[in-house]
Amino acid sequence: MSITDDDLEQKFVRFAEPKQILFLSADLVGSTALKQKKRKQRKRNVHHPDTQEWATTLQFFFTSLGHCFDKKWSERKAHLLSLKDATLVEKRLGTKPILWKTIGDELVYRKYVANRHQAKECIDIWINAIQELYKRFEKDLKNPEISIKSTAWVGEFPIQNKVLVGVQ
């Protein structure tokens, strides 16, 4: 199967269409200090009952965030479906965000947004998932040194021509 010039042109046109992408980030606060504390204890031959605490915390975070987010997304989708308006799910949610990349102990999700409703709904769901995850941290890990910080931002690709006005 060979790629024709028309195929390449269609792919380029789709690629060049403006897209707004919502990024959602969750990062562990205090995990590096926790890892370093364990490392220092091992160097001084201090016995600590849980030398795997950092790895356990990271694994808990990585798996639990996805579960919390999926659960909250499904709950919101079910609620919108219960309203008996088939267009609501697409208009208000669109496609579910995907895990885009991990950066150390930070997870970054990405979602193409078609309108402001999708961005708002997704951020609301994200906040609810982070709040649930934080409760799980308090209940299951019981480690006051660890917390979660989260951010959301929208990027436009490719960037449309913009005029920036500054104060002189």
Side-chain angles (χ1 to χ4, degrees):
M1 177 179 184
S2 63
I3 297 176
T4 66
D5 288 342
D6 288 339
D7 292 336
L8 289 174
E9 185 175 342
Q10 286 177 355
K11 285 183 180 192
F12 177 76
V13 167
R14 276 196 314 270
F15 174 77
E17 287 175 0
K19 301 168 210 49
Q20 288 188 334
I21 303 176
L22 172 65
F23 295 96
L24 305 161
S25 164
D27 192 6
L28 281 180
V29 176
S31 67
T32 302
L34 179 65
K35 182 170 65 172
Q36 295 303 322
K37 182 172 97 175
K38 302 305 174 196
R39 199 174 278 166
K40 287 176 185 175
Q41 287 174 339
R42 282 194 301 272
K43 282 183 179 179
R44 291 182 307 189
N45 291 324
V46 174
H47 176 68
H48 191 276
D50 187 9
T51 57
Q52 293 299 318
E53 185 177 8
W54 177 80
T56 302
T57 301
L58 197 63
Q59 182 179 17
F60 182 84
F61 172 65
F62 276 24
T63 57
S64 297
L65 177 59
H67 292 308
C68 289
F69 192 44
D70 287 345
K71 176 183 165 198
K72 296 298 181 184
W73 185 271
S74 296
E75 288 171 359
R76 184 68 56 98
K77 187 174 181 177
H79 170 71
L80 291 173
L81 288 170
S82 74
L83 300 177
K84 306 287 190 237
D85 183 348
T87 62
L88 268 183
V89 172
E90 181 57 34
K91 180 181 176 186
R92 304 270 305 270
L93 289 181
T95 58
K96 188 167 88 172
I98 61 166
L99 178 62
W100 180 54
K101 65 170 36 180
T102 60
I103 308 165
D105 60 1
E106 178 183 9
L107 297 172
V108 182
Y109 284 74
R110 139 187 128 212
K111 174 189 178 21
Y112 292 100
V113 290
N115 57 55
R116 63 186 167 89
H117 302 289
Q118 289 181 2
K120 183 199 177 304
E121 288 282 348
C122 190
I123 291 171
D124 286 347
I125 294 166
W126 181 255
I127 289 169
N128 290 331
I130 295 295
Q131 289 171 339
E132 181 175 314
L133 179 60
Y134 194 78
K135 289 176 188 171
R136 286 188 187 183
F137 261 76
E138 288 179 329
K139 179 181 169 241
D140 296 340
L141 291 181
K142 297 179 179 99
N143 187 338
E145 298 172 358
I146 299 294
S147 187
I148 304 164
K149 73 176 177 186
S150 179
T151 56
W153 68 97
V154 175
E156 189 175 284
F157 302 92
I159 297 172
Q160 300 298 299
N161 291 332
K162 304 285 185 203
V163 175
L164 300 176
V165 179
V167 178
Q168 293 187 18

